[in-house]
Amino acid sequence: MRRFMKKTIIALLVLSLGIVAVLMAYRICGAAGDRDLSGEWTAQLDMSGQAAAMAYGWLRDIEAVSVSLEEVEACMRNLNIQVEMTMDETDRSGGTFRCSVLPESYDACYQAAYEAFAVSFRVLVAERLRMAGHGEGTDEEAVEALITETFGMSAVAYLMSCGPALLPSLEELQARYDGSGTYEAGDGILTRRFDTEGAAGTVTEQYIREGSGLILLGETEDAAAGGFAEHYPLVFMMKQPEEPENNIK
């Protein structure tokens, strides 16, 4: 009986040690995987909320008509600016990085934001015309023609020239995101040190690495407060290599 209990205890001990070893190996390998951020990453800065808020603040001042933030938000969706980041691991805890805002993506988002703004503007102008007794000629084309005749430019061009700034300038975003330097990663903290003149300096952020995703949750409490906190969490997805074309007929 004692021999049987002794063998049982030894077996349980060996099993426990095996489980501990597996867990330690998992934690070590998992941590190493979390630290390895090498690759080409791309993220989308969602500008929809900011653009809608700026447009709403301007539209609600139009005399005798009303508009809600929800109505403006319904027009301004999927306004994204692309950010690309390349990270190259040089040792177990860090490496080098390059990050940039794509100017062509900014231009496309800028145009889309003001086109959406113009939709809400035409609706309110049409409502104001009906209130003034103009029952006819308040469809979208007629209102656009009236705006062009009145201001000498299209609704989109007028809002770009005389309306509010819906987005931060490209230069502001580049000052926040563009640059290159070195990084350190570990224990869920990513520290990027920009060595590019005029760039963001040092940025320390909490992050999660999940599969092909890298999620920046926000700057740590002891980091300097950034001007674009509303863009967190910022989700980077790893670019997948393009599959070669199969030319076999």
Side-chain angles (χ1 to χ4, degrees):
M1 184 68 178
R2 290 181 179 177
R3 177 181 292 183
F4 173 78
M5 292 183 62
K6 184 176 181 181
K7 287 183 178 180
T8 301
I9 293 172
I10 292 174
L12 290 173
L13 181 59
V14 171
L15 179 61
S16 300
L17 290 173
I19 293 173
V20 171
V22 169
L23 289 174
M24 289 182 66
Y26 175 80
R27 292 188 63 182
I28 293 171
C29 293
D34 289 345
R35 286 197 301 265
D36 184 7
L37 306 180
S38 295
E40 295 183 2
W41 303 87
T42 182
Q44 303 292 335
L45 296 178
D46 186 358
M47 309 304 299
S48 305
Q50 176 174 339
M54 297 301 294
Y56 169 70
W58 190 85
L59 290 169
R60 67 180 179 178
D61 289 336
I62 297 178
E63 184 180 356
V65 293
S66 61
V67 64
S68 68
L69 177 59
E70 290 75 18
E71 290 172 323
V72 179
E73 288 176 335
C75 294
M76 295 193 167
R77 294 177 176 174
N78 301 318
L79 299 176
N80 299 313
I81 298 173
Q82 188 168 327
V83 178
E84 293 193 343
M85 181 166 61
T86 301
M87 308 186 79
D88 298 309
E89 185 180 30
T90 56
D91 57 48
R92 292 185 60 186
S93 61
T96 61
F97 75 91
R98 298 180 303 280
C99 189
S100 63
V101 176
L102 269 62
E104 58 270 28
S105 175
Y106 179 89
D107 292 341
C109 182
Y110 184 89
Q111 182 69 30
Y114 279 94
E115 287 178 358
F117 189 11
V119 171
S120 295
F121 180 53
R122 293 190 201 99
V123 169
L124 293 185
V125 170
E127 184 178 341
R128 186 71 181 86
L129 289 172
R130 286 191 291 270
M131 293 177 65
H134 297 276
E136 298 180 358
T138 56
D139 59 276
E140 184 176 354
E141 290 185 3
V143 171
E144 178 65 28
L146 178 61
I147 292 172
T148 301
E149 181 181 348
T150 303
F151 300 111
M153 62 186 81
S154 68
V156 172
Y158 169 71
L159 293 171
M160 286 180 175
S161 300
C162 304
L166 300 182
L167 308 178
S169 69
L170 176 59
E171 291 73 21
E172 287 179 281
L173 292 175
Q174 288 175 329
R176 176 65 175 85
Y177 293 101
D178 279 20
S180 59
T182 59
Y183 75 88
E184 294 179 2
D187 298 326
I189 301 296
L190 172 63
T191 300
R192 289 180 290 154
R193 296 181 177 87
F194 290 79
D195 56 22
T196 310
E197 184 177 353
T202 299
V203 180
T204 303
E205 298 159 307
Q206 297 175 321
Y207 78 94
I208 296 174
R209 170 73 190 275
E210 281 191 3
S212 59
L214 172 62
I215 307 171
L216 302 184
L217 301 173
E219 294 191 66
T220 57
E221 293 182 0
D222 56 347
F228 298 93
E230 66 273 15
H231 295 155
Y232 291 115
L234 184 56
V235 181
F236 282 89
M237 299 303 296
M238 181 173 287
K239 288 185 177 181
Q240 300 300 322
E242 296 182 3
E243 295 183 3
E245 294 183 5
N246 188 353
N247 295 322
I248 299 177
K249 296 182 179 180

